[in-house]
Amino acid sequence: MAKGLAALGIETRADLIEHLPHTHRDRRETRKLATLGVGEEATVAVTIRSVTVKPMRDRRRKRVEAKVYDETGPASAVWFNQPWLARQLAEGTQVLLHGKLRRRNELWVTEHELVTQGDAPVHTLGLVPVHPATAGISPATLRSLVWEDRGCFRHAVEPLPAALRVAEALPDRPAALAGVHFPDTEEEGAAARRRLAFEELFLLQLAVAGRRRSRREARRAAPLRPTGALVDRWRESLPFELTGDQRAACRDIDADLAAERPMQRLLMGEVGSGKTIVALSAMLRAVENGRQAALMAPTETLAEQHLLTLDRLLGGVAPVELLTGSTGAARRRDLLGRLASGELALVVGTHALIEETVEFRDLALGVVDEQHRFGVRQRAALDSKAREGLVPHTLHMTATPIPRTLALTAYGDLDATVLRELPAGRRPVETHVVDGTRARARAYERIREEIAKGRQCFVVCPLVEESEALQAKAATVEAERLARTEFREQRVALIHGQLPLAAKQEAMRDFAAGAADVLVATSVVEVGIDVPNATVMLIEAAERYGLSQLHQLRGRVGRGGHSSLCILFGDPKLPRLKAIATERDGFRLAEIDLELRGAGEVLGTRQSGLPEFRAARLPEDQGLLATARARADELLDGDPGLEASEHSLLRETIVARFGSDLDPIPA
């Protein structure tokens, strides 16, 4: 049991009473045996008369049959393939059974609990809590443990000020814990959960608001003001017009950069909305002011793709280099020397950028791509690369639209810029989820039809247990098969994350130039690939990918003026595949993803510094989240450091809960 409790993070009585149930089962009414009709599901309180274990037809399985009775008469209770139960069900044992009456006087049991003496204890009747369990410890055992320790509820520390509890009509914490575990009514349980959910969201909002105020008021960045020497000329040289959203984003970012208050902005947008252009404009603003800018990506593959994209967009305006863990020793020494001297103004890299040996002469802007995949300390390490006494301006980019609920939690300390407008000429991509041999044959035929029109196609091989090496092998095998069979008359190329950088660059250049008809790839093509002539995206084993990944992959086609198609091989009934087939709006898909997977899965709570919620449920509690945000701002307006005596427990709770992951509120 101790091992099971430890796996659930329960080591103390405080941990136990904070282990909240995820649902309740209604056991408020027990039925009498004689009142049950065939097909009815019910709970009955009975006494054991006798127990037998009988073999079933296949002889390998056992049927446990107990003769039971209450004051209205006898019945048989049946369990399947649980012969060990016979040792528990001694004659005279009182037991609570839940199940369905399958035929007259025969109850097939789905749940049971022993009642050792007298009436059933409170924790087996009423609204019965079901706690998250694990191997070695059942929900029933957890319920009994919490019931035995319910006296601890009254010792729970109350962090919320009384005035706030009155204003929001919240019960105190001891009452909320009692109500969330063992409510008398659904209304009491809902009110208790609401109170604890509000507390979680309110504490988080205070923490991120404190971090936001600390960054804005206690730190200073080098102002990067427009000089007209570089950025304007570069924007004018681009072979396309910026969208209205891109121009507005550039204006907001330019205004942030011109101030001494460090910029902390989140740039998110629809697939293909041009976030990289906006980020590069900001990076060139640093160069224009004689300073440096760095773009940090979570993986080498993504960093390499950013390098290719930036190099293409720069058009020779300024050099940009790549620094990752795979950079050779001689190359690395050269790059480090040029960064330290200031000769190299633009660099793209991975975590390698924040190693102690990396020094910048004057880092003024950091662009962090896919922020949620970096730990809080890793992002803070980038801040330390600026000149002494300064921090860099920071632009956080994400290729995945963030639902408003998550923007207020994980990104609550950032100003947000949203790109919804797509460049001219982008067309919606027709999407189909298919399975079966006939569908596969038609998919390959459709690709050949597109190639006959002069178009090109992607074939993305399945994610294999999150392993780049295994995925690369799968892609290699599939490329060889397709070149030998379905596309033996077409030109098939291959790209995956295990190829050397030069080989990847060559493969992408060849495909972009039209030297290959079909590009078999892994998910390395998820972002940063722009081939307007590509019109078909075929994704194998689509169920292995998340919604945001599928939307990103789909966004690799439809970038020119041609009608485009995305074919997903997978189960058409799977909720996320149904969603990707019917919904094209990335922001709506992000909301659906949140509903399907929950906040922790979507964000990666441990990596983001965001705690796992015990009571709060997003997006269900988005209204409560907005209220918590407003109350946090209101409280900090009057007491920025939470120094008032009535806020001392509140401050202690925030520092204890978030101090190791989020900056504590400044005193």
Side-chain angles (χ1 to χ4, degrees):
M1 189 185 292
K3 189 178 290 186
L5 289 170
L8 294 170
I10 300 172
E11 297 181 355
T12 66
R13 284 186 165 85
D15 295 334
L16 180 65
I17 65 173
E18 296 289 345
H19 188 68
L20 306 183
H22 56 72
T23 190
H24 290 79
R25 295 201 174 117
D26 193 343
R27 301 286 185 267
R28 283 174 290 186
E29 292 185 15
T30 58
R31 299 277 300 279
K32 301 303 180 185
L33 288 172
T35 68
L36 298 184
V38 175
E40 278 193 275
E41 190 171 337
T43 300
V44 294
V46 297
T47 302
I48 302 292
R49 177 167 284 156
S50 64
V51 181
T52 57
V53 180
K54 301 178 180 179
M56 297 178 69
R57 285 184 180 178
D58 63 6
R59 297 290 175 182
R60 288 177 299 179
R61 296 193 300 155
K62 307 289 185 184
R63 169 186 167 114
V64 177
E65 187 172 319
K67 301 298 183 184
V68 301
Y69 65 92
D70 65 11
E71 62 264 37
T72 67
S76 293
V78 178
W79 292 260
F80 293 98
N81 211 31
Q82 300 177 65
W84 49 268
L85 284 176
R87 295 193 296 272
Q88 292 184 358
L89 304 174
E91 181 181 354
T93 300
Q94 291 178 302
V95 63
L96 203 67
L97 306 179
H98 184 80
K100 182 180 286 189
L101 198 68
R102 303 300 298 224
R103 54 175 68 100
R104 191 170 181 274
N105 284 345
E106 185 173 286
L107 184 74
W108 287 14
V109 181
T110 54
E111 298 176 56
H112 75 278
E113 285 196 52
L114 303 181
V115 181
T116 53
Q117 55 185 330
D119 294 332
V122 174
H123 68 268
T124 61
L125 293 176
L127 287 171
V128 178
V130 181
H131 296 84
T134 189
I137 187 160
S138 69
T141 302
L142 284 164
R143 181 194 324 147
S144 295
L145 291 173
V146 176
W147 177 255
E148 290 168 11
D149 276 342
R150 65 192 185 280
C152 294
F153 294 158
R154 67 176 181 270
H155 299 301
V157 173
E158 175 57 85
L160 300 185
L164 177 61
R165 295 203 313 274
V166 170
E168 289 296 324
L170 301 172
D172 63 26
R173 201 163 202 285
L177 285 169
V180 81
H181 285 287
F182 304 110
D184 291 327
T185 65
E186 287 97 338
E187 292 76 18
E188 181 188 357
R193 190 198 71 82
R194 180 182 181 276
R195 181 275 128 82
L196 295 174
F198 177 87
E199 176 187 312
E200 284 184 318
L201 297 170
F202 179 67
L203 292 175
L204 177 63
Q205 288 305 306
L206 283 173
V208 296
R211 183 168 69 177
R212 184 171 67 245
R213 288 168 185 243
S214 172
R215 283 176 172 169
R216 289 179 175 178
E217 296 166 13
R219 302 182 184 184
R220 179 177 167 271
L224 305 175
R225 299 187 176 95
T227 68
L230 180 60
V231 176
D232 292 346
R233 287 191 291 108
W234 170 74
R235 288 180 186 169
E236 290 170 4
S237 72
L238 293 171
F240 48 81
E241 287 286 324
L242 297 186
T243 65
D245 280 357
Q246 286 175 319
R247 290 194 296 272
C250 287
R251 285 195 297 271
D252 289 344
I253 291 170
D254 281 344
D256 288 348
L257 295 176
E260 289 190 353
R261 189 179 74 182
M263 176 177 73
Q264 288 290 335
R265 187 168 288 277
L266 173 66
L267 178 64
M268 60 178 167
E270 185 55 273
V271 175
S273 58
K275 295 175 288 292
T276 308
I277 287 281
V278 175
L280 183 53
S281 177
M283 294 172 76
L284 287 175
R285 189 68 77 195
V287 178
E288 185 176 83
N289 280 262
R291 293 185 165 88
Q292 294 168 294
L295 191 159
M296 186 167 72
T299 66
E300 289 195 1
T301 298
L302 190 53
E304 290 164 0
Q305 290 174 359
H306 277 306
L307 176 71
L308 294 174
T309 303
L310 294 186
D311 198 37
R312 175 171 54 82
L313 290 172
L314 282 165
V317 167
V320 59
E321 298 284 1
L322 178 71
L323 179 62
T324 71
S326 298
T327 303
R331 179 94 176 142
R332 179 183 175 84
R333 281 194 301 272
D334 175 62
L335 287 178
L336 294 188
R338 291 163 64 199
L339 287 174
S341 69
E343 178 189 347
L344 180 61
L346 296 177
V347 65
V348 177
T350 56
H351 306 75
L353 290 173
I354 57 176
E355 292 174 1
E356 286 187 19
T357 54
V358 179
E359 294 181 4
F360 292 83
R361 183 181 66 82
D362 196 352
L363 180 65
L365 171 68
V367 179
V368 181
D369 192 26
E370 298 299 320
Q371 143 159 315
H372 62 279
R373 294 172 68 179
F374 288 100
V376 176
R377 289 182 185 81
Q378 292 168 324
R379 299 196 297 268
L382 190 61
D383 286 352
S384 70
K385 297 297 182 182
R387 277 188 176 181
E388 189 174 350
L390 298 175
V391 294
H393 296 283
T394 308
L395 180 65
H396 304 269
M397 283 204 309
T398 176
T400 305
I402 309 271
R404 182 172 181 270
T405 46
L406 296 190
L408 285 176
T409 51
Y411 304 100
D413 57 329
L414 306 178
D415 298 311
T417 293
V418 176
L419 303 180
R420 290 183 178 271
E421 188 179 354
L422 297 180
R426 291 300 300 267
R427 303 181 65 166
V429 179
E430 187 181 339
T431 305
H432 299 280
V433 181
V434 298
D435 59 4
T437 305
R438 290 180 61 186
R440 180 172 292 279
R442 175 57 186 143
Y444 292 142
E445 183 182 359
R446 188 75 177 81
I447 290 176
R448 288 191 291 268
E449 290 170 2
E450 286 296 303
I451 293 172
K453 297 177 186 176
R455 311 288 173 244
Q456 295 165 277
C457 307
F458 292 97
V459 174
V460 175
C461 287
L463 197 65
V464 185
E465 299 175 352
E466 298 292 336
S467 166
E468 277 199 18
L470 289 174
Q471 198 181 3
K473 182 178 179 181
T476 302
V477 171
E478 182 66 355
E480 292 171 354
R481 185 188 75 81
L482 291 175
R484 191 175 61 251
T485 57
E486 301 295 341
F487 305 124
R488 57 185 176 275
E489 296 180 6
Q490 288 77 31
R491 298 165 298 175
V492 177
L494 171 69
I495 185 171
H496 56 72
Q498 300 294 293
L499 288 173
L501 176 59
K504 275 186 280 193
Q505 290 175 331
E506 183 179 359
M508 278 314 307
R509 274 196 301 267
D510 287 349
F511 188 62
D517 302 309
V518 178
L519 182 65
V520 179
T522 61
S523 51
V524 297
V525 298
E526 181 183 341
V527 293
I529 305 299
D530 187 8
V531 181
N533 194 48
T535 57
V536 181
M537 168 62 69
L538 186 151
I539 304 173
E540 297 282 0
E543 68 278 357
R544 293 179 180 266
Y545 296 91
L547 254 182
S548 61
Q549 263 192 314
L550 292 173
H551 186 54
Q552 291 293 329
L553 288 167
R554 176 171 63 181
R556 296 312 102 202
V557 296
R559 305 176 82 87
H562 316 295
S563 297
S564 296
L565 177 68
C566 180
I567 303 169
L568 306 166
F569 282 109
D571 182 358
K573 298 185 183 68
L574 198 66
R576 67 176 177 275
L577 296 188
K578 289 170 69 174
I580 195 75
T582 56
E583 184 61 66
R584 291 178 173 83
D585 184 331
F587 287 89
R588 176 62 193 132
L589 283 171
E591 293 285 356
I592 294 170
D593 203 23
L594 180 59
E595 292 165 9
L596 291 175
R597 294 199 292 154
E601 284 294 319
V602 172
L603 269 180
T605 51
R606 299 191 190 284
Q607 285 299 308
S608 68
L610 182 71
E612 293 186 52
F613 294 129
R614 291 176 172 174
R617 301 167 184 162
L618 297 177
E620 179 184 332
D621 287 328
Q622 56 185 331
L624 199 61
L625 173 61
T627 301
R629 170 70 172 253
R631 290 292 188 185
D633 285 340
E634 184 181 296
L635 187 68
L636 290 175
D637 283 343
D639 185 11
L642 296 182
E643 295 171 323
S645 58
E646 63 269 28
H647 298 153
S648 59
L649 282 176
L650 186 59
R651 191 184 198 291
E652 284 178 20
T653 304
I654 291 167
V655 172
R657 188 170 300 185
F658 301 115
S660 62
D661 288 320
L662 297 175
D663 301 338
I665 290 177

